[in-house]
Amino acid sequence: MEPEQSSPVVASAAAKPITGRLSPILFLLGVIFFFLPFVDIRCNNVSLQQVSGINLATGFKIKTPHDGSLFENMDHTNNDFSITKNGETRELNGYALSGLITGIAGLIISLLHFKGREMLGMITGIGAAAALVGLMADIKSQVKIDLSAKTD
């Protein structure tokens, strides 16, 4: 009977190091993904501007048709195709910034060794995921607002 009781302990001890190494890698991937495009502004299958997660978290300047883009030689008398005013800047997005900060905090927590780091790492992971869901909802609502302002 004793070998049966000790085998679950051995199995759980063998599984623990795998999860301990996997957590920092996942947080690192999440932070690296912030350097990839989050938003791709397209018109007729032509990419006008790509905005990365870092740009959303820190603010960015919107490209306009007058900066050497594909639409530079078009007739600009109507200006219905332009996205925003000339060179408008967008402020930082709080959801993107909080997602990035909690992702970095989760990476640091997963690399440290202290009691309760698993629970704290899980909380930061859930917080980062919630911030990214909020970012998605915020971007969708901002696009709706910008489109409704254009039609008015």
Side-chain angles (χ1 to χ4, degrees), residues 2-15:
E2 287 182 29
E4 291 177 16
Q5 292 174 353
S6 63
S7 62
V9 174
V10 173
S12 66

Side-chain angles (χ1 to χ4, degrees), residues 57-75:
T58 60
F60 62 97
K61 185 175 180 181
I62 297 176
K63 294 178 185 175
T64 60
H66 303 292
D67 62 354
S69 70
L70 178 66
F71 300 113
E72 184 176 35
N73 295 326
M74 290 182 72
D75 184 17

Side-chain angles (χ1 to χ4, degrees), residues 118-133:
E118 293 87 8
M119 182 60 76
L120 197 55
M122 187 171 61
I123 290 170
T124 57
I126 291 170
L132 292 178
V133 169

Side-chain angles (χ1 to χ4, degrees), residues 64-66 71-72 74-86 150:
T64 60
H66 303 292
F71 300 113
E72 184 176 35
M74 290 182 72
D75 184 17
H76 300 295
T77 56
N78 196 1
N79 268 347
D80 284 343
F81 65 90
S82 65
I83 298 169
T84 56
K85 298 174 188 170
N86 190 9
K150 276 291 199 198

Side-chain angles (χ1 to χ4, degrees), residues 2 8 14 24 28 31 47 49 72 74 76 78-79 88 90 103-104 113 137 139:
E2 287 182 29
L28 181 64
V31 172
S47 179
Q49 182 169 4
E72 184 176 35
M74 290 182 72
H76 300 295
N78 196 1
N79 268 347
E88 181 180 336
R90 293 289 176 134
I104 292 171
H113 296 286
I139 288 173

Side-chain angles (χ1 to χ4, degrees), residues 40-62:
D40 187 13
I41 302 169
R42 302 179 71 85
C43 180
N44 292 332
N45 292 329
V46 175
S47 179
L48 299 175
Q49 182 169 4
Q50 291 183 340
V51 181
S52 69
I54 297 292
N55 291 347
L56 286 173
T58 60
F60 62 97
K61 185 175 180 181
I62 297 176

Side-chain angles (χ1 to χ4, degrees), residues 85-147:
K85 298 174 188 170
N86 190 9
E88 181 180 336
T89 58
R90 293 289 176 134
E91 296 296 321
L92 62 92
N93 188 305
Y95 292 110
L97 186 61
S98 65
L100 180 62
I101 289 172
T102 54
I104 292 171
L107 175 63
I108 292 169
I109 288 168
S110 66
L111 292 174
L112 298 176
H113 296 286
F114 60 92
K115 186 176 180 174
R117 75 178 171 111
E118 293 87 8
M119 182 60 76
L120 197 55
M122 187 171 61
I123 290 170
T124 57
I126 291 170
L132 292 178
V133 169
L135 174 65
M136 180 185 67
D138 186 45
I139 288 173
K140 285 184 177 184
S141 68
Q142 194 66 34
V143 168
K144 285 181 184 178
I145 290 170
D146 288 348
L147 289 176

